[in-house]
Amino acid sequence: LMQLFRPLDMLGTVYRTIRQGLTDMDEMFRLLDTPAEVTDRPGAPPLAVGRGHVRFEDVHFGYEDGREILKGLTLDVPAGQTVAVVGPSGAGKSTLARLLFRFYDPQAGRITIDGQDITDVTQASLRAAIGIVPQDTVLFNDTLKYNIAYGRDEASEAEVVAATRGASLDRFVEALPDGFEARVGERGLKLSGGEKQRVAIARTLVKNPPILILDEATSALDSRTEEAILATLSAVSTGRTTITIAHRLSTVVDADRIVVLDDGRVAEEGSHAELLRRNGLYSEMWARQQAEREMAEAAE
Ligand code: ATP
């Protein structure tokens, strides 16, 4: 009998692994057509999106009983502003993004967008309002155009071209013999990590959501590419409510507002300079990362 259950169990594992990675959550939902753990309330209205004011109010959440990951998280992201979330590994940074996208519901507290509790509105409308640029982008074995327009089938050619320019992918496309019709993915053109991320950025621009979640790539990009991508992302996030999940501090130095998550709560908040002056967790993490960088450089 166990034999029978094993494949099912494996599917579950694959699915959980994918979800944990926060890999293109939109896509995975479509691909797997998952019976969501989270369902729409009968008669739930769509989210009435304004400018995208996001609030986490005393949010408690754990994936499993008896192990709380977010322990009363309160975070206010005013419409159009950018907040960088940093914190030790396992602090719950990706978890808060998953909750905003409503992969799970909080056990207590609430998350609101423009004053509406996200559990009161349809998931489709919620997800349409949020764009995600994940760490790793899943590309389909299809044309570049399909991959960029993905999620908005009605996107016009002009919109795709504009998004490509916004993501600084235009030169890359122009250099391809087949241009937008070039096939990508496993059976086609292989894109570099940076190029893939630009496809994700272009895709987000086509979607044009008021709210953005940027899950920074941890290490895959060389520093020049990373700098260029960060500049593109910062242009894209202008005027949109943006939550940047940063796994390294070097990428948030210039952020106006950095929120330090520790053990499921906001431990500190401020600009880089303010946080260094506090001599708390942030300055400790900064010192450690600097030391690591120096060691790595010395080893080269
Ligand atoms: P990192 O910077 O290392 O990516 P993070 O701050 O993003 O860390 P999360 O991914 O939010 O951390 O994870 C927070 C905690 O929740 C971790 O202890 C992790 O093991 C646990 N966790 C994450 N996903 C799941 C899951 N699907 N089921 C059970 N526990 C999970």
Side-chain angles (χ1 to χ4, degrees), residues 20 63-64 67 69 87-95 98 104 247:
Q20 276 187 10
Y63 294 92
E64 296 144 8
R67 187 170 168 235
I69 304 293
S89 179
K93 302 182 292 291
S94 301
T95 300
R98 289 181 200 130
Y104 306 93
H247 302 271

Side-chain angles (χ1 to χ4, degrees), residues 14 64 74-75 78 84 103 105 130 142 162 219 225 237 251 267 280:
V14 169
E64 296 144 8
T74 295
L75 179 64
F103 263 150
D105 284 334
I130 304 172
D142 206 303
S219 60
T225 310
S237 64
T251 60

Side-chain angles (χ1 to χ4, degrees), residues 10-29:
M10 221 175 77
L11 251 180
T13 308
V14 169
Y15 176 46
R16 276 189 296 277
T17 311
I18 292 167
R19 280 213 337 195
Q20 276 187 10
L22 203 94
T23 2
D24 263 12
M25 303 196 286
D26 268 318
E27 247 126 79
M28 287 309 157
F29 255 74

Side-chain angles (χ1 to χ4, degrees), residues 173-249:
V173 179
E174 278 158 23
L176 296 173
D178 295 329
F180 281 114
E181 299 307 318
R183 293 192 75 84
V184 299
E186 262 164 55
R187 288 195 289 275
L189 194 67
K190 298 270 187 297
L191 301 189
S192 72
E195 287 154 2
K196 272 201 218 167
Q197 233 185 354
R198 290 192 186 281
V199 172
I201 296 170
R203 199 180 276 171
T204 305
L205 286 172
V206 169
K207 190 173 172 183
N208 195 22
I211 300 164
L212 276 185
I213 298 172
L214 309 179
D215 194 8
E216 252 170 27
T218 30
S219 60
L221 309 175
D222 63 76
S223 54
R224 242 186 69 212
T225 310
E226 178 175 7
E227 247 169 62
I229 297 260
L230 286 175
T232 308
L233 285 176
S234 128
V236 168
S237 64
T238 304
R240 297 175 210 266
T241 311
T242 308
I243 298 178
T244 297
I245 314 252
H247 302 271
R248 272 163 308 151
L249 301 184

Side-chain angles (χ1 to χ4, degrees), residues 34-216:
T34 45
E37 276 162 45
V38 163
T39 48
D40 283 352
R41 215 166 257 177
L47 177 73
V49 206
R51 294 192 51 230
H53 178 188
V54 175
R55 270 185 70 83
F56 284 72
E57 298 172 13
D58 197 19
V59 170
H60 290 256
F61 173 77
Y63 294 92
E64 296 144 8
D65 286 346
R67 187 170 168 235
E68 224 175 39
I69 304 293
L70 300 184
K71 303 174 181 173
L73 177 81
T74 295
L75 179 64
D76 188 87
V77 193
Q81 290 198 11
T82 297
V83 164
V85 179
V86 302
S89 179
K93 302 182 292 291
S94 301
T95 300
L96 82 87
R98 289 181 200 130
L99 291 185
L100 181 59
F101 210 64
R102 228 187 140 205
F103 263 150
Y104 306 93
D105 284 334
Q107 274 104 30
R110 56 181 212 144
I111 302 169
T112 64
I113 294 177
D114 293 326
Q116 301 145 84
D117 189 324
I118 62 169
T119 61
D120 288 336
V121 299
T122 61
Q123 290 167 71
S125 65
L126 172 73
R127 291 180 182 155
I130 304 172
I132 297 173
V133 179
Q135 293 189 18
D136 295 300
T137 301
V138 178
L139 295 182
F140 299 97
N141 289 311
D142 206 303
T143 63
L144 195 55
K145 180 165 176 246
Y146 176 89
N147 273 283
I148 291 171
Y150 184 79
R152 265 206 50 219
D153 305 334
E154 75 282 8
S156 70
E157 181 94 26
E159 282 174 303
V160 172
V161 170
T164 306
R165 202 173 308 128
S168 300
L169 199 66
D170 44 340
R171 284 229 214 115
F172 171 78
V173 179
E174 278 158 23
L176 296 173
D178 295 329
F180 281 114
E181 299 307 318
R183 293 192 75 84
V184 299
E186 262 164 55
R187 288 195 289 275
L189 194 67
K190 298 270 187 297
L191 301 189
S192 72
E195 287 154 2
K196 272 201 218 167
Q197 233 185 354
R198 290 192 186 281
V199 172
I201 296 170
R203 199 180 276 171
T204 305
L205 286 172
V206 169
K207 190 173 172 183
N208 195 22
I211 300 164
L212 276 185
I213 298 172
L214 309 179
D215 194 8
E216 252 170 27

